[in-house]
Amino acid sequence: MSAGPLYGAVEGGGTKFVCAVGRSPTKLLDQVRISTGAPDETLGQVVEFFRKHPVDSLGVGMFGPLDLAAGATLRTPKPGWDDVPVRAILEAGLGVPVALDTDVNAAALGEQRLGAAQGADPCLYVTVGTGVGAGVLVGGRPLHGLLHPEFGHILLPVLPLADGTPDPFEGACPFHGRCLEGLVSGPAIAARTGRPGEDLPDDDPVWDLVGRYLGAGLAPAVLLLSPVRIVVGGSVSGRPGLLPRVRRSLAESLGGYLNHDALGDGIDEYVVPPGLGAGAGIAGALLLAQTALGSATSPVDDPPTV
Amino acid sequence: MSAGPLYGAVEGGGTKFVCAVGRSPTKLLDQVRISTGAPDETLGQVVEFFRKHPVDSLGVGMFGPLDLAAGATLRTPKPGWDDVPVRAILEAGLGVPVALDTDVNAAALGEQRLGAAQGADPCLYVTVGTGVGAGVLVGGRPLHGLLHPEFGHILLPVLPLADGTPDPFEGACPFHGRCLEGLVSGPAIAARTGRPGEDLPDDDPVWDLVGRYLGAGLAPAVLLLSPVRIVVGGSVSGRPGLLPRVRRSLAESLGGYLNHDALGDGIDEYVVPPGLGAGAGIAGALLLAQTALGSATSPVDDPPTV
């Protein structure tokens, strides 16, 4: 009996690239972390790892924005990483098919197939850490369009502070100031408080604001995508007590307009932490590798209804 | 040679129900308008019309919010129309299969198959009139999830008036005040100016605000759905000079973050008026009727890629 194909998975982030190999997303055989440096150097180390582990195909979940049709990065805040043809470089280096998607679409895929969003379609995977991003699956497939979702840059109304005065913080996004990412990301928290979020206690008032803004930011996602479940991951989201604030703020932002139990008594099961923890991205990248080889079963379980 | 099945189409609005019959969405054979009254009476007249024109199936695009799984209305601002099992009533009355979707999903379908969004997927159809709504197609299919898109109720940041001071208008939505619908719908314009929009000249300053808020409201839709084209219809949107303001405001709201030609030089072809004018909804309803009979070709042209 054959052991089946060997798949490679890459989670490409601004700080590190994680590379893994396995025959299934639930059983990784080897894994390595590479510090993100210049593209040539970093992708060279990725190729080197997979030459030691000859995979049949590769899935890559990568920070964006990406041109998914071209398989390349677009203009990005990460210095040196503009317009890098990631897919072509890896295909040329390894001679196997490479599937590229956003890191958050890969994580959404991992959570929908194996984690906290099983059976939920459409589903939304949101991450809040150094940045804010979202992956969206519709009909089991990552949503692609003109580009791909860039959830973090939604502009939000000013919320009141605990004393009722309008929040005076101008936001930390270089493009938009007070977009969601400019209000709740790690750098935004540091810019607001003068201290990194890790150093702030759980009862610091900033967490209330972060939770309320994140809930307010989920409201347009619910109104536009009508996800069946929302998974909220990332380092900031893991702060104890944050998710209940997010849920309350989401319900408040919707103002009772959507009369659905998931936004009422059922909200604890509607906005949930990841089932795979930090492993969603690499699991999803391995699922992408299966697709690249054409060995995945179709994710579209339902026949078209229209 | 058989003439093929006869389809019925219903566009159910808060003011009127339009009923039509035809063998294709581009050639309607008869059409009637029924004033929207109590559900029993209105749906009774719909049944009566189609008994005179015995159709093989019926497609209904209907004001929402709807429970699409149950085929019924939910709690709605339209008096008397809470929890009406529209699909069951029409199926029982006519004895043919009935497909129900939102009016805006039906219009999106019409525009994607026959109008201004041909070849564009995902696509977004936005209407601005008495209310603000959006239909979304992904993979050729109307987006359904927990409910369906309810675009009009997105909250927006306060924009400055022409003199730079913050817009003091509190908005007209009974649920959310300053949501998009509360800022740009016909009733919102009347609440702000004290006069119905139809009576206001094209150079009234309110149109600048309406255009800017609508563009600001499209920004989250672009960031979450990444549509390949946006069709903007409805009575308010038809005001001369409005669409250029919407495009400018959308580009400004995105702040250059999404570096795509469609949001730059190509924006006139990205945010467009309907190709079918006011006929998108009824054409889409007839396409839904084809689906209900299983006689439509699958709208999913591409094989699943993941």
Side-chain angles (χ1 to χ4, degrees), chain B residues 200-302:
Chain B
L200 296 167
D202 290 349
D203 63 354
D204 190 283
V206 76
W207 301 116
D208 184 56
L209 269 173
V210 166
R212 285 195 286 138
Y213 275 120
L214 183 51
L218 291 182
V222 170
L223 291 164
L224 276 160
L225 291 165
S226 208
V228 172
R229 189 161 302 140
I230 300 173
V231 179
V232 182
S235 59
V236 169
S237 317
R239 172 67 55 158
L242 194 71
L243 270 193
R245 290 179 170 121
V246 171
R247 295 180 185 121
R248 207 155 48 229
S249 167
L250 168 61
E252 279 170 17
S253 298
L254 295 172
Y257 182 73
L258 299 179
N259 188 18
H260 194 290
D261 196 52
L263 299 160
D265 291 343
I267 202 163
D268 289 356
E269 286 75 50
Y270 185 60
V271 178
V272 299
L276 306 179
I282 206 78
L286 200 137
L287 291 163
L288 288 171
Q290 291 184 335
T291 312
L293 202 61
S295 52
T297 52
S298 163
V300 181
D301 300 314
D302 305 317

Side-chain angles (χ1 to χ4, degrees), chain A:
Chain A
M1 191 181 110
S2 156
L6 189 65
Y7 303 106
V10 176
E11 192 180 14
T15 311
K16 62 179 190 294
F17 272 58
V18 178
C19 303
V21 292
R23 298 192 194 277
S24 102
T26 53
K27 206 176 161 192
L28 302 179
L29 304 173
D30 197 4
Q31 192 159 330
V32 72
R33 284 171 175 232
I34 295 163
S35 290
T36 308
D40 284 1
E41 184 197 347
T42 308
L43 297 175
Q45 289 177 265
V46 171
V47 167
E48 202 180 313
F49 173 78
F50 287 111
R51 283 192 180 151
K52 283 186 290 186
H53 299 281
V55 293
D56 294 289
S57 65
L58 189 64
V60 182
M62 175 86 193
F63 66 82
L66 301 176
D67 179 338
L68 291 166
T73 61
L74 287 166
R75 190 175 58 185
T76 156
K78 180 78 186 164
W81 281 84
D82 288 4
D83 304 312
V84 177
V86 175
R87 190 171 61 207
I89 290 171
L90 294 175
E91 280 181 344
L94 295 169
V96 300
V98 175
L100 176 74
D101 215 312
T102 61
D103 45 7
V104 277
N105 270 344
L109 205 55
E111 287 293 330
Q112 193 189 52
R113 301 281 184 88
L114 304 161
Q118 290 176 61
D121 199 292
C123 83
L124 180 73
Y125 173 89
V126 173
T127 179
V128 185
T130 310
V132 176
V136 176
L137 304 181
V138 179
R141 291 189 273 191
L143 183 69
H144 299 167
L146 191 70
L147 294 169
H148 47 73
E150 276 291 338
F151 176 61
H153 297 279
I154 289 177
L155 293 168
L156 295 179
V158 176
L159 290 181
L161 300 178
D163 66 6
T165 60
D167 177 14
F169 182 54
E170 295 289 335
C173 173
F175 289 90
H176 314 101
R178 291 179 43 81
C179 65
L180 180 60
E181 182 167 303
L183 289 164
V184 306
S185 67
I189 293 168
R192 183 193 278 274
T193 64
R195 294 164 68 190
E198 307 88 271
D199 294 357
L200 297 167
D202 290 348
D203 63 354
D204 190 283
V206 77
W207 300 117
D208 184 55
L209 269 173
V210 167
R212 286 195 286 139
Y213 275 120
L214 184 50
L218 291 182
V222 170
L223 291 164
L224 276 160
L225 290 165
S226 209
V228 172
R229 190 162 300 139
I230 300 174
V231 179
V232 182
S235 58
V236 168
S237 317
R239 172 68 54 158
L242 194 71
L243 270 194
R245 290 179 170 122
V246 171
R247 294 179 186 121
R248 206 155 47 229
S249 165
L250 168 60
E252 280 170 18
S253 298
L254 295 171
Y257 182 74
L258 301 179
N259 189 18
H260 194 290
D261 197 52
L263 299 161
D265 291 345
I267 202 164
D268 290 356
E269 286 76 50
Y270 185 59
V271 178
V272 299
L276 305 179
I282 205 78
L286 200 137
L287 291 163
L288 288 172
Q290 292 184 335
T291 311
L293 202 61
S295 52
T297 52
S298 163
V300 181
D301 300 312
D302 305 318
T305 53
V306 164

